[in-house]
Amino acid sequence: MRVVVLRELADGEKRVAAVPATVEKMVKAGIELCLESEAGLAAGFADGEYREAGAAVAPGAQAALERADVVLKVQKPLKMANGHELDRFPEGAALIAYSLRARDDPDLAERLRSRRITALSLDLVPRIARAQNMDVLSSMANIAGYKSVLLAGNALPKFFPMLMTAAGTVLPAKVFVLGAGVAGLQAIATARRLGAVVTGFDIRPAVKEQVESLGARFVAVGLEEHAEDAKGYAKEVSADVAAKERELIARELKSTDVCITTALVPGKRAPVLISDEMVRGMRMGSVIVDLAAEQGGNCELTEPGKDVVKHGVRILGPVNLVSAMAFQASQLYARNVLNFLLNLYDKQAGKLSLESGDEVVKACLVARAGELLQAV
């Protein structure tokens, strides 16, 4: 089986789908691997390192894709000046990437059909014990949560920790984290390590113990309804509960120096948790880092990809934040991809096995020989 790793074309994307360490393991498993030249350069991996790991390096994408059985990417294939990235794929090849929401992209869907591509989307890996080492969402969320605190610390015109000086005591910054999933918990842990006083909020009461174990105070609306789905993700709540949430959040924001928002509902626009009015009530010079910016934002005033000041509050809406830490983001992503690929690889047959009814395959398979299989 010939696996190809391509250089990413999306603006600002520095990650790569395989690193030398994972290439070495693929080669040992009997997989032939070819890399487009400089595919890993932006992440800090030179072509020579891939050659030493056992990969062939092709001078360009077209040469790399010859005889490709499986193509590994981070971002979905994109339109180019002279066509579409998928036009270069061999007919019938398989594509594994982070997010392949073909039904939201008619052009991508049509290209998948015309090239008869089998597509597997890694953001759909189920939350089951066996698939933990394939969980790309958690890997990337960890990085985003950590980096969000560094962005906030850089933007806040105050110290995070308490300092006792000859001129007097400097009080610690107050950090409020909305959402206690993987990104939120990492943000809480990082802010605490920097010496801030941290409060965590989530609609799922089950995460209270996790938040408090990191040394933060937990606040929540008293919920009678179940606020998480079968997979453990937060789900949309009723209008009454949402109103109580807004009241609690507005109250906490009045004494907050930094607010980091991480709340997402899978497959839908991010819930708006911070209104214009709430921002008006915050302290001058305080900071909001909206990690949900790519899905519309948790703050009403967030502008994706921009750093803006509204009512004296600095609001950051980073997109693809994990790419700013491309070296380690690539390492983690590549390990998830390796585990996913080896889970599907039938060594005896020398190809991917998609016939087994495997729970992971069923969840991630969005197109089979060009036929769209699920509404993602």
Side-chain angles (χ1 to χ4, degrees), residues 248-310:
L248 185 153
I249 291 169
R251 186 166 61 249
E252 291 290 334
L253 286 174
K254 289 179 181 179
S255 61
T256 290
D257 295 303
V258 169
C259 179
I260 295 172
T261 73
T262 70
L264 294 170
V265 177
K268 297 185 179 180
R269 190 206 183 283
V272 177
L273 302 177
I274 301 177
S275 66
D276 181 297
E277 183 179 357
M278 292 180 192
V279 175
R280 287 178 186 272
M282 294 179 70
R283 294 172 173 173
M284 294 289 289
S286 54
V287 174
I288 295 172
V289 180
D290 193 340
L291 289 185
E294 288 182 82
Q295 275 87 359
N298 293 143
C299 177
E300 183 181 357
L301 301 179
T302 296
E303 297 183 27
K306 295 184 179 180
D307 178 345
V308 299
V309 176
K310 302 286 186 178

Side-chain angles (χ1 to χ4, degrees), residues 55-112:
V57 177
Q62 197 65 57
L65 285 164
E66 290 181 6
R67 301 184 295 105
D69 297 305
V70 180
V71 180
L72 304 180
K73 281 182 57 62
V74 179
Q75 299 283 357
K76 68 181 181 181
L78 301 175
K79 287 183 180 179
M80 304 184 299
N82 57 345
H84 196 284
E85 200 174 353
L86 273 176
D87 294 340
R88 303 183 298 188
F89 283 37
E91 186 172 331
L95 168 64
I96 298 173
Y98 178 64
S99 181
L100 295 168
R101 300 189 178 277
R103 294 189 186 274
D104 296 334
D105 187 338
D107 190 55
L108 176 61
E110 179 55 36
R111 302 288 176 166
L112 290 172

